[in-house]
Amino acid sequence: MKNNILSKIVFIFLCSLFSCSKSLPVLDGIDLKEWNTDKNACTGKRLAMKDALTNQKEKLLGLNEMEIVTLLGKPDGNELYKRNQKFYYYAIQPSKECNLKTQNAVLQLVVRFTAMGVANEVSIE
């Protein structure tokens, strides 16, 4: 009897825990499969999505690091900053790693995370 009540409590707790998790945002006009396969923006597919990303970058605010990686894939670069802040970089124009003749300044999506791992700034530079 005691075991049955305990299992029901655990079940209710787990159901409430998983039902409270937020879903990832939908980025309209951005093909996330294409985004993820265009590592370092070498094929130019990310550049075609720049305007849609610019208009929706606020949807990325408040997401944690794992949610950003789930949505946008592994970053092309990252940086650990003072006070445990992190920056993730996603190339939008072909980067130096593509072995193409590119300009020095490469357009990129920059996601800044707090020490708690929450995205608090998103910019395209």
Side-chain angles (χ1 to χ4, degrees):
M1 181 73 170
K2 195 186 247 188
N3 193 16
N4 191 20
I5 294 173
L6 181 62
S7 64
K8 287 181 181 181
I9 291 172
V10 169
F11 177 74
I12 292 171
F13 174 74
L14 289 175
C15 287
S16 64
L17 180 69
F18 289 114
S19 67
C20 293
S21 64
K22 62 182 177 181
S23 60
L24 293 176
V26 174
L27 300 174
D28 301 318
I30 298 173
D31 185 344
L32 294 174
K33 287 182 184 178
E34 293 291 327
W35 176 275
N36 286 313
T37 59
D38 192 10
K39 187 76 174 156
N40 293 309
C42 292
T43 63
K45 294 175 184 174
R46 288 184 181 178
L47 187 58
M49 301 178 220
K50 179 182 129 321
D51 291 336
L53 184 62
T54 301
N55 294 332
Q56 301 176 79
K57 63 184 182 182
E58 71 280 347
K59 290 182 178 181
L60 302 176
L61 292 172
L63 298 179
N64 66 39
E65 291 178 60
M66 292 308 299
E67 291 169 330
I68 292 288
V69 170
T70 300
L71 193 63
L72 300 177
K74 184 179 173 187
D76 299 325
N78 59 34
E79 178 183 358
L80 183 59
Y81 199 62
K82 54 186 162 185
R83 293 189 167 175
N84 288 333
Q85 296 178 68
K86 289 183 184 176
F87 289 86
Y88 280 3
Y89 301 99
Y90 294 90
I92 295 176
Q93 288 179 321
S95 64
K96 298 175 208 173
E97 286 77 16
C98 297
N99 294 325
L100 302 172
K101 293 182 180 179
T102 60
Q103 56 196 18
N104 290 340
V106 175
L107 195 62
Q108 60 187 354
L109 172 69
V110 180
V111 182
R112 178 182 178 185
F113 295 97
T114 64
M116 299 301 289
V118 177
N120 68 338
E121 185 179 332
V122 178
S123 62
I124 296 178
E125 303 173 356

